[in-house]
Amino acid sequence: MTIKELGYNKNLEKYRVEQNLDSLEVGRVILEHKERYVIKTPEKEFDSELIGNLRFTAKSRYDFPAVGDWVAFSEYDQGKALIHAIYPRNSIIERQAVGKSGHIQIIATNVDYGIIVQAVDRDFNLNRLERYLTICNASNVEPIIVLSKIDLISKSELESIEVQVKKRIKDVSIIAVSNQTKGYETLENIIKIGKTYCLLGSSGVGKSTLLNSLSGEPQMKTGEISSSVNKGRHITSHRELIVLNSGGILIDNPGMREVGIADRTRGLETTFESIIEYSKNCRFKDCTHIHEKGCAILAAVESGEINEDSYANFRKMEKEKKHFQSDAIERKKRDKDLGKVIRNFQKQRKNNKY
């Protein structure tokens, strides 16, 4: 394997030289666990931690490494290293942290493609699919939809699901795979050397089975399918970056029960572009698209031009996005006020010494 096959490129090398990091080694974070990291280079792997200055000057989650990051590090013992700097990220896949208002959780960084895996049996949910799509669009990551476990339904049922997806989601590749037969050739053929793919999906949809099939060897344990719920027992418990024999790079993730929107860009607008287009014809510029007369979106929903379920999902996610942004602003203000109190206390304590 070469460093280029690990995803390294000219922009990263340029940054390395400009920031005088060429005296340090460069590697990619493939595993993260409680501020301990595994860094991979073409030659070996290192158990790593942050240098003190990097840890103590960190102001937010973005200042800590995540799976997919490129870092500058130095080896201080056999197989052990210290991380000195994090290279700029070209993308960050994130969601709203579960149970933490206004906080984000980084899923992976420097991702080129998001592989959204959804089982076609009882887990299939178009609203959830649009949520994962929004996460990808907000991160400027190209989505690929994989419909798994097609051996559990009939051919006509699969065709019906594919029609439903295409009606709601435009211009996104859709690949159907079976856990009982190979069926991964199409996906294998689109995976490119040096590009990073992140698996996204709920527990038990077949992400680990897909990873094992693409890698050609067992990387993750998979559970047997339960006959009562048609779901495999969930095994993956951490995020990990794996280099495939084909040269592509795959990041596996634990299943997500909640897909909270933490969109601060235009991910939601991109996902629901067809709905947003209608808003240009609304009578009022500040139309909320809820109850106003002359609302082009409501008129399109009523006439059937806009899918009613998709509109309802858009409204729900838009409201969620606004709540997240409001909570994030409030949390930032609290942190700023707390910082001011601490600084004043330290200043007063210093003056009292004299």
Side-chain angles (χ1 to χ4, degrees):
M1 185 205 330
T2 65
I3 195 165
K4 185 177 180 181
E5 290 173 337
L6 197 53
Y8 198 70
N9 56 46
K10 292 179 180 179
N11 291 334
L12 293 168
E13 179 59 25
K14 182 181 178 182
Y15 180 84
R16 184 187 188 201
V17 174
E18 290 176 345
Q19 299 298 316
N20 298 316
L21 297 174
D22 42 335
S23 63
L24 297 168
E25 295 189 62
V26 60
R28 197 166 188 189
V29 176
I30 64 170
L31 191 64
E32 170 198 354
H33 183 66
K34 295 181 179 179
E35 294 188 25
R36 303 285 297 189
Y37 311 90
V38 176
I39 299 173
K40 186 176 184 62
T41 69
E43 294 79 26
K44 59 190 297 188
E45 296 179 4
F46 300 85
D47 291 321
S48 313
E49 59 183 312
L50 299 178
I51 61 171
N53 185 56
L54 198 60
R55 181 184 292 110
F56 296 129
T57 57
K59 295 180 180 178
S60 71
R61 175 64 186 88
Y62 295 108
D63 297 318
F64 289 90
V67 172
D69 271 332
W70 286 95
V71 294
F73 70 95
S74 61
E75 185 177 9
Y76 68 88
D77 198 359
Q78 185 67 30
K80 297 185 181 298
L82 292 172
I83 297 173
H84 295 258
I86 304 169
Y87 282 66
R89 297 153 173 157
N90 62 38
S91 66
I92 304 174
I93 296 183
E94 60 188 13
R95 66 168 174 173
Q96 186 173 170
V98 178
K100 294 183 179 180
S101 179
H103 287 70
I104 61 98
Q105 178 187 22
I106 294 178
I107 298 170
T109 66
N110 299 312
V111 174
D112 300 295
Y113 298 87
I115 300 178
I116 306 169
V117 186
Q118 191 159 78
V120 294
D121 58 343
R122 301 180 189 183
D123 182 70
F124 180 72
N125 187 301
L126 273 169
N127 288 351
R128 190 183 301 125
L129 204 53
E130 286 178 332
R131 282 183 170 271
Y132 282 115
L133 198 62
T134 300
I135 286 179
C136 289
N137 289 330
S139 309
N140 198 28
V141 167
E142 185 173 336
I144 299 169
I145 296 172
V146 172
L147 301 176
S148 65
K149 302 187 180 181
I150 61 172
D151 49 289
L152 298 179
I153 62 174
S154 67
K155 184 178 179 180
S156 61
E157 287 174 316
L158 175 60
E159 290 173 350
S160 174
I161 286 174
E162 289 178 331
V163 168
Q164 292 176 52
V165 174
K166 289 175 182 177
K167 279 185 177 180
R168 291 266 293 261
I169 299 171
K170 311 295 183 183
D171 303 321
V172 177
S173 298
I174 302 172
I175 300 171
V177 299
S178 165
N179 288 352
Q180 301 300 321
T181 59
K182 286 189 176 180
Y184 294 94
E185 294 84 359
T186 304
L187 188 55
E188 289 173 349
N189 290 336
I190 66 173
I191 289 180
K192 304 172 185 175
I193 296 175
K195 296 296 182 180
T196 301
Y197 301 76
C198 182
L199 290 174
L200 301 168
S202 306
S203 300
V205 297
K207 297 192 305 298
S208 295
T209 300
L210 187 148
L211 172 59
N212 292 341
S213 297
L214 291 176
S215 65
E217 55 187 270
Q219 299 282 350
M220 297 288 177
K221 292 181 179 179
T222 57
E224 294 178 357
I225 293 177
S226 166
S227 59
S228 60
V229 295
N230 286 346
K231 286 187 176 182
R233 296 183 181 89
H234 176 56
I235 301 295
T236 306
S237 59
H238 58 268
R239 293 177 182 84
E240 185 171 359
L241 183 151
I242 296 165
V243 180
L244 305 175
N245 293 333
S246 62
I249 303 149
L250 202 58
I251 297 176
D252 190 27
N253 282 289
M256 300 182 203
R257 292 183 179 178
E258 297 181 29
V259 192
I261 300 302
D263 179 16
R264 290 168 298 171
T265 58
R266 290 185 57 81
L268 191 65
E269 289 78 1
T270 302
T271 300
F272 295 96
E273 185 178 6
S274 59
I275 292 179
I276 298 298
E277 278 295 311
Y278 281 92
S279 68
K280 296 176 182 178
N281 299 319
C282 289
R283 180 183 298 176
F284 306 107
K285 289 184 178 180
D286 59 349
C287 184
T288 62
H289 319 302
I290 300 174
H291 50 68
E292 292 90 347
K293 290 183 179 180
C295 174
I297 289 179
L298 291 178
V301 171
E302 190 173 342
S303 67
E305 295 175 62
I306 292 177
N307 181 279
E308 189 173 350
D309 291 334
S310 185
Y311 167 73
N313 200 31
F314 165 70
R315 289 288 306 133
K316 182 178 180 180
M317 291 166 67
E318 185 182 47
K319 185 177 180 180
E320 192 176 314
K321 175 182 176 178
K322 289 178 179 178
H323 275 303
F324 171 79
Q325 291 173 335
S326 177
D327 290 342
I329 292 171
E330 180 61 30
R331 182 180 59 81
K332 190 174 181 179
K333 184 179 181 299
R334 288 198 304 269
D335 291 346
K336 186 177 180 180
D337 291 342
L338 179 60
K340 188 182 293 184
V341 170
I342 292 173
R343 286 193 299 273
N344 289 338
F345 173 77
Q346 291 173 336
K347 184 178 181 181
Q348 186 177 11
R349 188 178 180 185
K350 183 178 180 181
N351 291 336
N352 288 340
K353 284 186 178 181
Y354 302 99

